[in-house]
Amino acid sequence: MMWGNWTVVSEFVLVSFSSLSSQLQALLFLLFLTIYLVTLMGNVLIILVTTADSALQSPMYFFLRNLSFLEIGFNLVIVPKMLGTLIIQDTTISFLGCATQMYFFFFFGAAECCLLATMAYDRYVAICDPLRYPVIMGRRACGQLAAASWFSGFPVATVQTTWIFSFPFCGPNRVNHFFCDSPPVIALVCADTSLFELEALTATVLFILFPFLLILGSYVRILSTIFRMPSAEGKRKAFSTCSSHLLVVSLFYSTAILTYFRPRSSNSPESKKLLSLSYTVVTPMLNPIIYSLRNSEVKAALRRAIRRTLGFQKL
């Protein structure tokens, strides 16, 4: 559609993995579909088990339940459209659809960064100040921390998405990615975006780097406390309560920081797609697996749930 000397873009085309052969795209579809289903089932299972089992009502599992909700939302925003581009070559996405996808990508991403920092704070209080833990991390405090983590996604998503889609798009509409992320979309803008890029860098520091530094500081104090414990059994238990969260944080932040803090010259579109797959597709699948396999309380709750299910079936 023409408007003055500009071509007003009404839809975008997701390049996705179109450079690959149709056979390879079909294989990727089966792989990503399997990961998607495992992600949904794993996170739903975590939500159900931590809700139903009376032994998993501590703040740690309350935050884990919130993390699973976030991971489900994150996946629903990205993966179904990506599967469509692979199997039926449905690569077009409307202007509004692209803006909506980007909005919820920012929302869930920022909320997850803050929730991971909240979970690190929970572990810090549990290990470094165990006597005051029930008081500090009471039901009301946990609800407020979870609500603040979820709410943190709204300002960054609203400002970033509104600003990007207020720019003029003057013709090229091929987004070199498998979803509407800001860098490939902003590359299509025909206006000066330097002020937006400065704001985007500030938001990235606030919502990715700052929570990461809080997590890092929490674990420095946690490890210092653990190493001072006289009992080997106490050290083992303390490590076991932190290891799952630390592994999840490492997986999420390593790929996110490599994606958004690398110089543009060293960040090719193909390498960015691979890194993005890590934190949008793979990590949400691994989180419930990590918390199930590395957490004895979750494994015990799963066994109890299976026994109850089998018992009802026998009746």
Side-chain angles (χ1 to χ4, degrees), residues 57-239:
Q57 301 306 308
S58 67
M60 181 173 74
Y61 298 110
F62 169 74
F63 293 126
L64 176 58
R65 189 157 57 246
N66 278 267
L67 180 63
S68 290
F69 276 116
L70 279 174
E71 297 290 26
I72 290 171
F74 209 58
N75 245 235
L76 290 174
V77 168
I78 304 296
V79 180
K81 182 61 181 177
M82 181 182 67
L83 293 175
T85 64
L86 288 169
I87 194 64
I88 58 174
Q89 304 302 307
D90 179 22
T91 58
T92 60
I93 185 169
S94 68
F95 190 89
L96 179 60
C98 188
T100 302
Q101 187 183 54
M102 185 182 293
Y103 181 91
F104 284 104
F105 168 73
F106 283 139
F107 169 75
F108 286 118
E112 181 160 347
C113 288
C114 293
L115 185 63
L116 288 173
T118 299
M119 294 171 78
Y121 174 70
D122 171 67
R123 292 298 83 207
Y124 161 75
V125 176
I127 292 173
C128 299
D129 198 359
L131 296 179
R132 296 179 61 218
Y133 179 70
V135 177
I136 296 173
M137 299 303 292
R139 185 182 294 272
R140 183 177 178 183
C142 289
Q144 290 173 339
L145 287 169
S149 298
W150 280 88
F151 180 78
S152 66
F154 284 110
V156 64
T158 303
V159 172
Q160 296 271 84
T161 308
T162 304
W163 199 340
I164 288 174
F165 286 91
S166 66
F167 283 121
F169 293 88
C170 307
N173 66 340
R174 291 175 61 82
V175 178
N176 196 0
H177 212 323
F178 57 84
F179 72 99
C180 288
D181 197 4
S182 58
V185 172
I186 207 72
L188 305 177
V189 168
C190 52
D192 181 18
T193 60
S194 55
L195 185 59
F196 168 79
E197 290 175 12
L198 179 61
E199 184 276 335
L201 179 61
T202 304
T204 303
V205 169
L206 283 175
F207 289 95
I208 294 182
L209 195 58
F210 184 63
F212 176 72
L213 292 176
L214 288 177
I215 293 169
L216 196 61
S218 296
Y219 273 102
V220 168
R221 294 292 303 274
I222 287 169
L223 291 174
S224 174
T225 301
I226 289 174
F227 286 133
R228 292 200 305 269
M229 289 180 177
S231 165
E233 180 64 17
K235 289 180 180 179
R236 187 192 65 78
K237 286 183 177 179
F239 270 122

Side-chain angles (χ1 to χ4, degrees), residues 209-276:
L209 195 58
F210 184 63
F212 176 72
L213 292 176
L214 288 177
I215 293 169
L216 196 61
S218 296
Y219 273 102
V220 168
R221 294 292 303 274
I222 287 169
L223 291 174
S224 174
T225 301
I226 289 174
F227 286 133
R228 292 200 305 269
M229 289 180 177
S231 165
E233 180 64 17
K235 289 180 180 179
R236 187 192 65 78
K237 286 183 177 179
F239 270 122
S240 68
T241 63
C242 297
S243 59
S244 299
H245 178 256
L246 193 55
L247 187 53
V248 167
V249 166
S250 301
L251 288 170
F252 180 81
Y253 272 101
S254 59
T255 51
I257 288 173
L258 282 173
T259 301
Y260 293 103
F261 285 94
R262 289 172 67 190
R264 287 188 178 182
S265 57
S266 64
N267 202 12
S268 70
E270 300 308 315
S271 66
K272 190 172 188 301
K273 288 178 193 177
L274 290 174
L275 288 170
S276 298

Side-chain angles (χ1 to χ4, degrees), residues 271-296:
S271 66
K272 190 172 188 301
K273 288 178 193 177
L274 290 174
L275 288 170
S276 298
L277 280 173
S278 298
Y279 66 84
T280 59
V281 179
V282 178
T283 301
M285 176 194 69
L286 292 177
N287 286 354
I289 296 174
I290 290 169
Y291 275 102
S292 298
L293 296 180
R294 297 185 62 86
N295 188 300
S296 58

Side-chain angles (χ1 to χ4, degrees), residues 302-315:
L302 286 171
R303 286 194 294 267
R304 286 193 294 271
I306 292 170
R307 283 198 297 268
R308 284 196 300 267
T309 303
L310 293 175
F312 280 127
Q313 286 179 349
K314 288 177 181 178
L315 292 174

